Amino acid sequence: NVVAEDDLKEIVPMNVEPRSYLANERTFLKWMRMAALTTLVGMILLGMRHEPVTGIFLIILSIAVLLRSYIVYYKRNEVLVNRIAYGWVDNLGAKLLLLSLFIPM
């Protein structure tokens, strides 16, 4: 009777501290704040009729940043609740934010 090596791994419960949940929420709130600021700048540009194309572009990109931040928050929250191994680095979020700030220039 042959037992696979994967069957022999010991399952160790992962201890998740409450500050991990709070850090996840703080990060989401910071991304929301940045998306709200970018939306506000876009609305000001639209309202003043100064750069309407840039204003619309900023609003669309800030909505994309907001959706992306919610997806990352939800995925990380599920990882914390279910205690699953996960790569915590978000390489796309910062690039999306920089795109929303520097492309309209």
Side-chain angles (χ1 to χ4, degrees), residues 6 11-12 19 22 28 31-32 36 42 44 46 51 60-61 63 65 69-71 80 84 89 95 98-100 102 104:
D6 291 336
I11 299 173
V12 179
R19 64 182 173 178
L22 295 174
F28 173 63
W31 281 105
M32 274 185 54
I44 289 171
L46 280 175
E51 293 272 342
I60 291 170
L61 280 176
I63 291 171
V65 167
S69 64
Y70 179 73
I71 290 168
L80 289 171
I84 305 169
V89 179
K95 292 175 187 173
L98 286 174
L99 179 74
S100 71
F102 289 117

Side-chain angles (χ1 to χ4, degrees), residues 6-8 11 15-16 18 20-22 31 33 37-38 44 50 53 62 64 66 72 76 85 89 93-94 96 101-102:
D6 291 336
D7 295 337
L8 296 177
I11 299 173
N15 187 16
V16 179
S20 298
Y21 292 102
L22 295 174
W31 281 105
R33 205 173 317 135
L37 177 66
T38 310
I44 289 171
H50 179 66
V53 174
S62 66
L66 183 62
V72 170
R76 288 179 178 173
V89 179
L96 188 62
L101 293 176
F102 289 117

